[in-house]
Amino acid sequence: VYEMNIDGSGVRRLTHGKYDSFDARYLPDGRIVFMSTRRGQAVQAGVESATRTLEQPDLPDVYVRCGGDARRPVAVYTLHTMAADGSDLRAISPFEMFEWHPSVAHDGTILYSRWDYVDRENGPYMSLWAINPDGTNARLVYGNYTKAPHCTFEPRAIPGSHKIVFIASAHHAQTMGSLVLLDPTVGMAGAEPITRLTPQVV
């Protein structure tokens, strides 16, 4: 993760090491939330599970459980935060599978997509979740048992509203599809809480 001024000057590197780090967003308290493959295998969340300095040894890799291993290294990426200067790295999610696209809701919580197929088949369940910036109270927002749309990518809170817009995408597809308007006060699953704003896009 890098940071720079609006005019392109002052480029600063914030994360280091062998890990992939991406999709960074500023949090209201000045910290930064981002996705990273740096989560360790034993301690899944907290200060000890993230590489905090250049001098600290690399952590063992953690691979996706549906076929990932040293021969097929598909590293898991989950939510992390860091201070504005890149220090104090923390893994805030104990989740064992992929998470995507963090964004900040009006109340300061983090909206994100999560591939959760506990107690069901592994296909379509990439639903919308929320979590506090300190990693507490991870909770479902929409779609835990909803088969269409498969994925709720790139969520954004709509200004002046309790509603959320996201991209409806397919399983194992690129992040593209129709825009969907979600009213979480109507429900947490199925077709009733959502309106496809661009149904012509599939």
Side-chain angles (χ1 to χ4, degrees):
V1 174
Y2 288 78
E3 183 183 53
M4 66 182 179
N5 299 324
I6 296 295
D7 62 4
S9 65
V11 176
R12 301 171 290 281
R13 184 173 181 174
L14 299 179
T15 60
H16 301 270
K18 68 176 184 178
Y19 307 100
D20 294 325
S21 298
F22 53 96
D23 248 357
R25 306 283 189 273
Y26 293 107
L27 292 169
D29 65 357
R31 291 181 65 82
I32 297 170
V33 61
F34 64 103
M35 306 307 305
S36 183
T37 60
R38 66 182 62 239
R39 193 197 78 190
Q41 289 176 324
V43 182
Q44 292 189 340
V47 177
E48 295 81 10
S49 65
T51 301
R52 289 162 286 156
T53 68
L54 289 174
E55 295 77 25
Q56 189 175 21
D58 287 334
L59 295 169
D61 291 320
V62 58
Y63 298 115
V64 61
R65 72 177 183 174
C66 60
D69 56 28
R71 293 175 290 115
R72 181 180 176 262
V74 181
V76 170
Y77 40 86
T78 56
L79 292 165
H80 290 65
T81 65
M82 62 182 163
D85 63 359
S87 64
D88 193 29
L89 277 165
R90 295 173 181 262
I92 63 167
S93 174
F95 194 50
E96 65 178 7
M97 290 298 292
F98 297 114
E99 296 169 330
W100 295 270
H101 312 300
S103 67
V104 182
H106 302 312
D107 60 0
T109 59
I110 299 166
L111 295 171
Y112 63 103
S113 303
R114 169 172 156 163
W115 186 4
D116 186 1
Y117 57 80
V118 176
D119 295 330
R120 52 193 175 279
E121 71 269 22
N122 70 353
Y125 303 106
M126 299 181 194
S127 47
L128 181 60
W129 286 67
I131 194 170
N132 295 337
D134 63 358
T136 60
N137 196 21
R139 58 206 178 272
L140 175 72
V141 175
Y142 171 77
N144 205 31
Y145 287 93
T146 301
K147 290 191 174 183
H150 285 185
C151 306
T152 57
F153 287 151
E154 299 284 0
R156 296 293 186 274
I158 297 175
S161 171
H162 60 273
K163 297 179 181 178
I164 299 165
V165 66
F166 65 85
I167 296 173
S169 186
H171 179 67
H172 282 315
Q174 296 181 12
T175 305
M176 58 187 182
S178 60
L179 287 176
V180 173
L181 181 67
L182 167 66
D183 186 346
T185 64
V186 174
M188 298 173 68
E192 189 175 357
I194 62 173
T195 303
R196 287 189 182 258
L197 301 177
T198 56
Q200 72 278 11
V201 179
V202 292

